[in-house]
Amino acid sequence: MTTENIRTYDVIVIGAGPVGENVAERTRAAGLSTVIVESELAGGECSYWACEPSKALLRPALLRADAAHVPGLARAVQGPLDTEAVLAHRDRMSADWNDDGQAEWIESVGIDLLRGHGRLAGEREVSVETLGGDTVRLRARYAVAVCTGSRAALPPLRTTGDLRPWTSREATSARKAPRRLVVVGAGVVGVEMATAWQALGSRVTLLARDEGLLPRMEPFAGELVTERLREAGADVRFRVSAVAAERTPGGEVRITLSDGAEVVADEVLFATGRVPRTEDVGLAAVGLAPGDWLGTDDSLTVTAVPGNWLYAAGDVNNRALFTHQGKYQARIAGAVIAARARGEALDTGRWARHSATADLDAVPGVVFTDPEVATVGLTVREAERTGRAVDVVDHEIGSLAGALQYRPDYKGRARILIDRERRVVVGATFAGPGVAELLYSATVAITGEVPVDRLWHAVPAFPTISEVWLRLLETRRDS
């Protein structure tokens, strides 16, 4: 039997992932009563099927790759990884897919958690179908924030029978390593999971429809990752895509490729992009099309809905599909909601706390492959496309003493893009072992618009990989 009751809050948040939790924490800290609606696990995709489990799978593989090239350690790390131990570590980092800890935190900061499927039901209204079959009607005095994230997009291809393909969720939560794994897609998810499962004992075939891996990044990054994947035993193929797939009665997956070849595997992972989780959140009730991205302005307010009450933060708005950027947006959205609730005018200048700019100009991202790839701001291709005049400065990281201390055969490359008129860094890409830790300095340089002449006074310690900054600046002056 279904019953209905009405509850009123200042703020309603749909989605209890990291983004929704941050919006709710900010509004609650501002004194606004807040409820989060969640249909799955509190903690969201990042905690259970993305950031945490994927990095738990990758860390042992990358650490072994580094150790295998350090004098005195190579012999100690010969042989395969202990796959069972790695998967057990992955399970711990994913809290065994139990969200009790997250639910306790939500309660501890004074936020209500309502478990069920939430749908917009009109202006400032949300209808929740609870797990028990009841319907709860929520009304917001000030704001509703949609933070439902994204899900894997499956490519259009001919399939036969019950294919049961992997997406990022299955790839990060699998209970054992498949003997043969085909990865379709050469973006971040594809190359990271190819790296992880190849190291855990799978024979990986990676299919890229473009001419290289990581096509949105600088070409040299994909080239270095390709080289290491092939050295590890992966079959990396370019300019090819899957056009048909079937799972045989014996359990094998047979994949027909665009070049006419066929690949046989035990599992196939489709890592071919993301789509917003908005197909069933009640968008039609507020005049929007189900399944669409939710476009926002820099205050994270949904622009197509009048009244400044509907917000969208995280993947769902398609601004920057990274957990850290979603949490950044959440902090902005929470501040905006609180300011509007107090009747304050928003200071939405470029550096205002009510205006999201870092998810447009300086989006940092790390690909945890061997070698690592770290990037922020523009690439050369993006600068050319937007007509930005830039100086491109490259340096081989392996020439640094700090890099040779890291690995005697260190191979890596750094690139920065300098705006010719303003003389500030507008883009940076690093590829090589351990370069993820270089990224924050690059992000600060870009967001802070630090003149390159002033960067000379930021002295890197010796011997560290961060000395590449000094070499890049020297190369720029000598060129």
Side-chain angles (χ1 to χ4, degrees):
M1 179 177 180
T2 300
T3 61
E4 182 171 324
N5 55 73
I6 299 175
R7 305 177 193 175
T8 301
Y9 291 86
D10 292 328
V11 180
I12 303 167
V13 179
I14 304 177
V19 177
E21 288 177 340
N22 272 266
V23 172
E25 192 275 334
R26 290 302 169 112
T27 57
R28 188 68 194 94
L32 302 177
S33 61
T34 304
V35 60
I36 293 182
V37 181
E38 177 55 56
S39 61
E40 293 187 293
L41 296 177
E45 199 80 10
C46 177
S47 299
Y48 307 105
W49 299 288
C51 320
E52 295 286 2
S54 67
K55 304 316 169 279
L57 292 173
L58 286 159
R59 177 59 178 160
L62 302 186
L63 187 59
R64 183 182 67 169
D66 287 339
H69 292 80
V70 175
L73 281 178
R75 188 175 300 174
V77 295
Q78 289 179 354
L81 290 174
D82 184 340
T83 301
E84 185 175 338
V86 173
L87 295 181
H89 171 61
R90 183 273 317 271
D91 293 351
R92 287 190 296 272
M93 293 302 296
S94 302
D96 290 308
W97 293 273
N98 182 300
D99 69 353
D100 287 349
Q102 293 293 125
E104 289 172 6
W105 175 84
I106 290 171
E107 181 180 356
S108 73
V109 295
I111 302 166
D112 286 355
L113 173 62
L114 180 57
R115 294 186 181 274
H117 192 107
R119 299 177 179 87
L120 296 168
E123 183 173 341
R124 295 185 176 86
E125 291 197 356
V126 174
S127 178
V128 181
E129 182 182 344
T130 70
L131 300 182
D134 293 336
T135 299
V136 177
R137 197 83 165 185
L138 301 177
R139 288 178 180 164
R141 295 185 183 92
Y142 302 113
V144 176
V146 178
C147 307
T148 50
S150 64
R151 58 178 173 80
L154 294 177
L157 75 166
R158 302 190 305 274
T159 61
T160 303
D162 185 12
L163 183 59
R164 304 189 308 279
W166 279 11
T167 66
S168 53
R169 283 198 170 194
E170 289 77 17
T172 55
S173 62
R175 309 312 305 174
K176 64 179 182 179
R179 187 167 62 89
R180 300 162 299 178
L181 173 66
V182 172
V183 179
V184 181
V188 176
V189 173
V191 297
E192 284 192 347
M193 289 299 94
T195 299
W197 289 109
Q198 180 70 36
L200 290 169
S202 298
R203 292 208 325 262
V204 172
T205 300
L206 177 57
L207 308 177
R209 68 180 181 182
D210 297 303
E211 296 184 357
L213 303 184
L214 303 171
R216 295 186 179 181
M217 300 181 182
E218 299 288 11
F220 66 81
E223 291 166 5
L224 287 167
V225 174
T226 300
E227 180 180 330
R228 288 295 296 126
L229 275 171
R230 285 175 168 165
E231 288 177 2
D235 178 5
V236 182
R237 307 186 191 185
F238 298 124
R239 296 179 294 279
V240 66
S241 57
V243 296
E246 66 170 336
R247 190 175 291 274
T248 69
E252 291 183 332
V253 178
R254 295 185 177 275
I255 303 166
T256 304
L257 306 183
S258 55
D259 61 4
E262 183 179 80
V263 180
V264 180
D266 300 285
E267 301 292 350
V268 57
L269 163 62
F270 289 118
T272 51
R274 309 286 294 180
V275 293
R277 295 185 62 183
T278 60
E279 69 278 3
D280 192 19
V281 294
L283 293 189
V286 294
L288 303 178
D292 277 2
W293 301 99
L294 296 178
T296 71
D297 59 20
D298 287 347
S299 70
L300 287 311
T301 307
V302 176
T303 54
V305 176
N308 292 335
W309 64 270
L310 185 61
Y311 298 78
D315 282 12
V316 76
N317 62 28
N318 202 30
R319 290 169 68 102
L321 275 64
F322 292 98
T323 296
H324 46 275
Q325 294 299 137
K327 291 164 70 173
Y328 160 74
Q329 293 174 13
R331 295 190 290 271
I332 299 293
V336 169
I337 292 168
R340 283 176 170 160
R342 292 190 294 262
E344 299 174 2
L346 300 184
D347 50 336
T348 55
R350 177 169 176 76
W351 303 114
R353 66 189 180 95
H354 296 125
S355 180
T357 57
D359 59 358
L360 300 176
D361 300 332
V363 178
V366 178
V367 189
F368 291 90
T369 45
D370 177 24
E372 290 178 341
V373 178
T375 181
V376 60
L378 296 176
T379 63
V380 172
R381 185 183 298 111
E382 290 166 344
E384 292 173 346
R385 179 178 56 83
T386 56
R388 296 282 291 273
V390 297
D391 293 328
V392 181
V393 187
D394 289 344
H395 193 80
E396 295 299 320
I397 303 175
S399 66
L400 303 172
L404 296 177
Q405 292 283 0
Y406 197 97
R407 279 169 61 160
D409 62 343
Y410 193 105
K411 184 180 291 187
R413 189 172 174 186
R415 169 174 289 176
I416 60 172
L417 276 59
I418 300 172
D419 187 290
R420 286 181 185 167
E421 292 185 2
R422 296 188 296 128
R423 308 311 297 163
V424 296
V425 178
V426 292
T429 298
F430 308 97
V435 298
E437 300 305 329
L438 294 174
L439 192 57
Y440 188 66
S441 57
T443 304
V444 170
I446 294 173
T447 56
E449 298 183 348
V450 183
V452 290
D453 287 339
R454 186 61 191 165
L455 284 178
W456 272 96
H457 299 279
V459 182
F462 179 88
T464 64
I465 297 175
S466 63
E467 195 183 9
V468 73
W469 276 104
L470 176 60
R471 303 306 170 209
L472 287 165
L473 293 171
E474 286 178 339
T475 303
R476 192 271 305 181
R477 282 195 168 184
D478 294 340
S479 60

